[in-house]
Amino acid sequence: MLTQTTTRVLDPGELGAALAILESEPVANAFVTSRVQAAGLDPWRLGGEMWGWYADGRLRSLCYSGANLVPICATPEAVRAFADRARRAGRRCSSIVGPAEATGQLWRLLEPSWGPARDVRPHQPLMVTDQPSPDVRPDPRVRRIRKAELDVIMPACVAMFTEEVGVSPLAGDGGLLYQARVAELVAAGRSFARIDDGKVVFKAEIGAATSHACQIQGVWVAPEYRGHGLSETGMAAVLRYALADVAPVASLYVNDFNTAARASYRRVGFREVGAFMSVLF
């Protein structure tokens, strides 16, 4: 008997089925899960559509289509269906990001019509920990950023984004969306920094959080302070907050060519458990 498959946008009533898939891989899916838990499946609130791939009427795989295109628990057949839908719709996202195998297949199918990309990062180790290393003492000066300090943290956030992604987040809309996102993390108590004499010397955020896992992002040390171990002691401090206040497991993903950062994260207690891939436009 042939399996009947279809692909369509999920409706809000399918929230439970979507969460069941998302929560089957709580670490890898933390970013999208956190958005769905907060906003549901309504595209306006979610900031994008959630596509579903169904086999014999049962939801099996997902793909988030918003500012990012993110395959979720996607089988090869589901990836092909998502690629067909994305190709017909045309590129609306600024990146494709997700588990390396599914994202790589998705990009191979989309590259002829969507390429070339500005940058392709095919192997970004996914690192996790549920126990900080006792060998690195958390920096006591790293703390949560207060709402009144938004103007202090913003230049460091812009510098980190520009350095990491290769374009300024202030382009296009003048940075309104990016500033709103930074403000959202500050208000949620998930933005952390060490500030010396009014200057941010280290910062990081907990960008996504669910009851099962959280994802640390935006790790940055001011250039003139690099090479002095601030990334390790700073990350140890953020990790302490994350595991105590947010979720039992913390994760992050890092560029494979950033060997210094990978070594630093390992010393803090992270271990590599998989890989992501990013395609930037």
Side-chain angles (χ1 to χ4, degrees):
M1 179 184 292
L2 292 176
T3 299
Q4 299 296 314
T5 65
T6 187
T7 305
R8 62 174 175 80
V9 178
L10 269 67
D11 64 59
E14 296 176 283
L15 178 61
L19 285 172
I21 290 177
L22 287 163
E23 292 171 355
S24 69
E25 296 182 9
V27 172
N29 297 334
F31 168 70
V32 177
T33 303
S34 67
R35 293 185 67 92
V36 171
Q37 287 179 338
L41 294 175
D42 177 75
W44 187 84
R45 294 185 62 220
L46 185 61
E49 296 178 338
M50 185 66 77
W51 301 343
W53 181 79
Y54 300 78
D56 291 332
R58 181 181 174 186
L59 182 63
R60 301 296 182 94
S61 298
L62 302 169
C63 186
Y64 173 72
S65 175
N68 316 107
L69 189 66
V70 187
I72 301 156
C73 300
T75 65
E77 188 174 0
V79 171
R80 287 193 292 271
F82 293 144
D84 287 343
R85 187 179 187 95
R87 192 184 301 109
R88 291 195 302 271
R91 183 175 70 82
R92 303 172 183 174
C93 59
S94 59
S95 69
I96 307 173
V97 61
E101 185 174 352
T103 303
Q105 180 191 358
L106 186 59
W107 176 233
R108 287 191 296 273
L109 293 169
L110 288 174
E111 184 177 12
S113 55
W114 279 20
R118 182 172 55 81
D119 192 12
V120 177
R121 301 175 183 180
H123 186 83
Q124 297 172 296
L126 175 64
M127 307 182 77
V128 303
T129 185
D130 59 3
Q131 184 67 48
S133 170
D135 299 328
V136 180
R137 179 176 178 268
D139 186 340
R141 285 178 283 185
V142 171
R143 57 172 176 80
R144 281 188 169 93
I145 293 299
R146 307 180 189 102
K147 292 181 181 179
E149 296 174 312
L150 189 58
D151 289 343
V152 177
I153 195 68
M154 185 60 68
C157 293
V158 171
M160 178 282 305
F161 187 100
T162 304
E163 185 176 323
E164 171 65 20
V165 180
V167 297
S168 171
L170 305 182
D173 67 351
L176 293 177
L177 285 175
Y178 186 70
Q179 291 178 54
R181 175 58 175 162
V182 173
E184 177 186 356
L185 292 174
V186 170
R190 303 209 315 253
S191 176
F192 302 85
R194 171 176 163 176
I195 302 174
D196 291 354
D197 298 323
K199 178 180 176 60
V200 175
V201 300
F202 166 87
K203 75 145 199 93
E205 295 88 36
I206 300 174
T210 73
S211 60
H212 299 293
C214 63
Q215 186 179 90
I216 297 173
Q217 65 178 38
V219 182
W220 181 84
V221 176
E224 63 270 31
Y225 288 85
R226 293 173 187 175
H228 299 289
L230 287 180
S231 63
E232 294 178 18
T233 58
M235 275 295 291
V238 175
L239 187 57
R240 178 185 60 189
Y241 284 112
L243 296 178
D245 301 341
V246 181
V249 175
S251 71
L252 56 81
Y253 62 98
V254 58
N255 293 317
D256 59 354
F257 54 78
N258 195 341
T259 54
R262 292 170 67 183
S264 175
Y265 298 148
R266 283 194 294 267
R267 285 191 287 270
V268 173
F270 286 90
R271 65 189 186 280
E272 296 183 10
V273 297
F276 271 31
M277 174 177 175
S278 296
V279 180
L280 308 178
F281 299 104

